[in-house]
Amino acid sequence: MVLFLLFLSYMSADISADRVIAPSSTVMLLFRSNFGAGVSLTSPTGYYTNGAWQYLTGTDQETGYSWPVKALGANLSGIQLITSDPIDSSTIGKYITNQIRQVTGPKGNLVNELFQNVKIKGDLGQAGSQAPLVINRPWTIGDVKDLYITYWFKYEIDFPSKLTREVPGAGWRQMFAFKTGGYLNDWRGDYRVSVTILKGLDGQLYWQTKGDNVANGPWPRVDYWTIDNHTVAVPVDRWSKFEVYWHRSSGSDGRFWVAVNGEVIADYHGPNMGDYNLPITRIFPNNAYSGGYATVESHSTGLEIWNGFPCGMGVSCYEK
């Protein structure tokens, strides 16, 4: 009955809102895309010395939502192509390619996935090239206080072997992040939360969720909190559901919650604002970004964005 009432609330809501919706008892779906028919990637554009941009565009005929994401006041959504060497239109394809393609999906049926592939990463142990899926929003329109994001992802069967502890800095792969911005009215920020996969000294993969100030600001690094999870397995060679929720606050009611396949990997309660209380300007739902061996691949589908937990406060939607 509760889910039915939430569904009715969602159906009657104005889901075309292009602003942050104040937290309330009604949970609203802000965006959904399966990268279905009607959605496409532009050719890389906006070249700069070590990168370019590739935008998602069009209306998803399966969901009715259009790219770029208008919710949250976003002014850009697509993939940033960041390369370890200078590139141009004739060489970018050697480093990074992105495509929407049809595959067998999480439920065994044919779906479209966003496939990101970093082919030349750079030196082992260095961050090098990356291809983040990013939602950008101006720092002048306020913060994103409450948000829930979910999608399906899959790592290749050889993924564990691409991370190594034999070379310093080569044992990590980023999954998710958000960053703030607006310091001195530019893109630099004071707070970041990231979800990363690490390889331990025992050769096993584990999850690390962290709040720090690594948001391109001019300050020495500060790690505010870290949660390591060695219990929930890092899934490989199968579709898995990623879920993340946050409530931003400078007080004890702040929260950052993450689950994979319905199992909670982190549930941090406490302050999650930076020293300058800057707003979230960059959300990276998924990123082909690693210190390990190339290639760095990302498979994702079924992206949803809500303004709160859609299945009940603190409840995973894995089985829904």
Side-chain angles (χ1 to χ4, degrees):
M1 176 62 72
V2 173
L3 288 176
F4 178 70
L5 291 175
L6 284 175
F7 175 75
L8 289 180
S9 297
Y10 149 62
M11 291 299 291
S12 62
D14 178 10
I15 60 177
S16 64
D18 60 357
R19 58 184 176 85
V20 178
I21 299 168
S24 69
S25 59
T26 301
V27 178
M28 181 184 294
L29 176 65
L30 303 177
F31 183 81
R32 175 184 287 149
S33 180
N34 300 324
F35 306 104
V39 179
S40 61
L41 281 163
T42 67
S43 297
T45 186
Y47 284 91
Y48 52 97
T49 303
N50 285 77
W53 294 87
Q54 197 166 12
Y55 302 114
L56 283 155
T57 186
T59 299
D60 191 324
Q61 295 179 15
E62 296 180 19
T63 69
Y65 287 86
S66 297
W67 294 88
V69 178
K70 298 295 176 62
L72 313 178
N75 58 0
L76 179 154
S77 51
I79 302 170
Q80 186 176 10
L81 291 70
I82 303 171
T83 58
S84 56
D85 304 307
I87 52 88
D88 57 28
S89 58
S90 66
T91 57
I92 183 63
K94 297 178 181 178
Y95 287 82
I96 302 172
T97 57
N98 304 297
Q99 59 180 305
I100 295 172
R101 64 185 191 181
Q102 192 174 69
V103 296
T104 301
K107 307 298 183 181
N109 57 319
L110 292 177
V111 301
N112 280 2
E113 70 164 7
L114 176 62
F115 176 55
Q116 299 153 257
N117 188 8
V118 175
K119 303 174 182 178
I120 299 177
K121 193 195 70 62
D123 293 336
L124 186 64
Q126 302 298 316
S129 304
Q130 57 176 295
L133 172 62
V134 58
I135 300 170
N136 275 9
R137 52 191 308 277
W139 54 84
T140 55
I141 63 172
D143 205 0
V144 183
K145 291 292 186 181
D146 289 82
L147 206 69
Y148 168 95
I149 297 174
T150 186
Y151 59 87
W152 292 89
F153 72 96
K154 184 171 70 172
Y155 288 124
E156 299 286 350
I157 194 170
D158 63 346
F159 166 62
S161 67
K162 292 181 177 179
L163 304 186
T164 177
R165 293 297 298 266
E166 295 179 0
V167 175
W172 61 270
R173 163 70 185 263
Q174 190 171 88
M175 180 84 189
F176 171 91
F178 74 62
K179 293 182 179 182
T180 62
Y183 179 70
L184 299 182
N185 289 318
D186 64 18
W187 55 279
R188 293 176 295 173
D190 65 347
Y191 201 85
R192 175 186 72 164
V193 177
S194 60
V195 180
T196 305
I197 297 168
L198 299 177
K199 175 170 274 191
L201 292 174
D202 59 358
Q204 300 301 305
L205 303 182
Y206 67 97
W207 301 98
Q208 183 175 90
T209 307
K210 177 180 288 189
D212 56 37
N213 69 342
V214 185
N216 308 104
W219 312 284
R221 177 174 181 145
V222 177
D223 291 342
Y224 298 110
W225 55 270
T226 302
I227 298 174
D228 291 338
N229 188 306
H230 296 263
T231 303
V232 177
V234 176
V236 175
D237 196 32
R238 66 185 180 100
W239 284 106
S240 298
K241 190 175 184 66
F242 179 80
E243 300 171 273
V244 60
Y245 165 82
W246 67 80
H247 170 68
R248 295 206 77 204
S249 173
S250 58
S252 60
D253 62 326
R255 187 176 189 184
F256 190 85
W257 175 97
V258 195
V260 173
N261 290 335
E263 297 185 89
V264 176
I265 63 173
D267 192 2
Y268 166 79
H269 292 258
N272 53 22
M273 303 288 293
D275 291 342
Y276 295 85
N277 294 318
L278 297 176
I280 293 173
T281 55
R282 292 158 288 172
I283 301 171
F284 307 91
N286 202 0
N287 193 356
Y289 187 28
S290 173
Y293 294 99
T295 59
V296 185
E297 302 174 7
S298 172
H299 305 259
S300 62
T301 191
L303 175 66
E304 295 183 13
I305 303 174
W306 298 71
N307 72 333
F309 278 106
C311 296
M313 181 58 69
V315 178
S316 167
C317 291
Y318 176 56
E319 300 293 345
K320 306 301 180 183

